[in-house]
Amino acid sequence: MSTSVQPTPQATPSPALILFARGVIALLTSWPVLRIAIDQAWGGPESLEKRTFLASEIVDAFEEAQKRSQTAPDFDDVEVLILQAMAEEFNCEIEDGSSEGLARDIVSLWKDVGEGRGAEQVERLEGLASQAGASQVQATRQDEESDSEGEEEGSESDDEMETDEPPVLVPQKSTREPEVDEDGFTMVKRGGRR
């Protein structure tokens, strides 16, 4: 007599929840802060999987609220979830305010999907996410004080001098192709004033 173990059937997510999850993944994919964190492997070799983990945490928060007939998380709750995940999984503190906009977009997406208007929005977001994946975002560190000021004071301890501030996002400058005249010489152009 053989006994076989039957897996317990899991509830299939609703089409609306699947649509919402696709939209959340697209929003996270196009968020520059998370793209940099993944590109720079701030979360280690499994950084890409951590984006999926963050998306599942967000979707689960909305799904649980729906199952319990509670109000959906507001943008503050979603932002806290995003900030905690970025701090814990990527060792990154977000101070540029972009997490608030992302949280608002996620809450807005939930409302639109719930009202049956989410399909077009998700398709648009997925298009933006695929475009964002093709472009690069650069991060640079901007110091509030110049290094020479810290060296001159000398009274600060090593802990006070070292800061682990997150890099500031800077749009990548486009480079122009050099102009070559008919004789094969490269034209040198004067840069604009800053």
Side-chain angles (χ1 to χ4, degrees), residues 3-151:
T3 59
S4 62
V5 177
Q6 296 288 330
T8 57
Q10 292 182 342
T12 305
S14 69
L17 190 63
I18 292 171
L19 187 64
F20 176 66
R22 285 176 43 204
V24 170
I25 290 170
L27 284 167
L28 291 175
T29 300
S30 59
W31 187 34
V33 174
L34 187 56
R35 287 180 36 220
I36 290 172
I38 291 170
D39 289 345
Q40 300 296 318
W42 293 349
E46 62 279 340
S47 291
L48 191 57
E49 290 83 10
K50 290 181 178 186
R51 177 182 62 203
T52 307
F53 169 76
L54 176 56
S56 68
E57 288 292 312
I58 293 169
V59 172
D60 287 348
F62 282 90
E63 183 181 27
E64 285 300 314
Q66 185 180 35
K67 283 181 182 177
R68 296 179 182 184
S69 299
Q70 298 173 342
T71 59
D74 64 2
F75 80 91
D76 287 328
D77 297 331
V78 176
E79 183 182 22
V80 167
L81 190 102
I82 292 168
L83 292 174
Q84 285 177 341
M86 292 300 292
E88 292 172 7
E89 301 297 330
F90 293 97
N91 196 23
C92 173
E93 291 185 26
I94 312 301
E95 296 177 350
D96 67 349
S98 65
S99 58
E100 181 180 335
L102 177 64
R104 287 185 190 276
D105 290 345
I106 290 170
V107 171
S108 173
L109 176 66
W110 176 255
K111 289 177 183 173
D112 289 346
V113 167
E115 295 170 358
R117 304 182 312 223
E120 302 85 28
Q121 186 177 3
V122 169
E123 287 178 19
R124 182 184 60 80
L125 291 171
E126 288 175 334
L128 291 173
S130 65
Q131 289 175 356
S135 65
Q136 291 185 348
V137 177
Q138 291 182 331
T140 59
R141 184 177 300 272
Q142 292 182 347
D143 296 326
E144 292 179 17
E145 299 177 321
S146 69
D147 290 336
S148 61
E149 289 178 20
E151 291 172 5

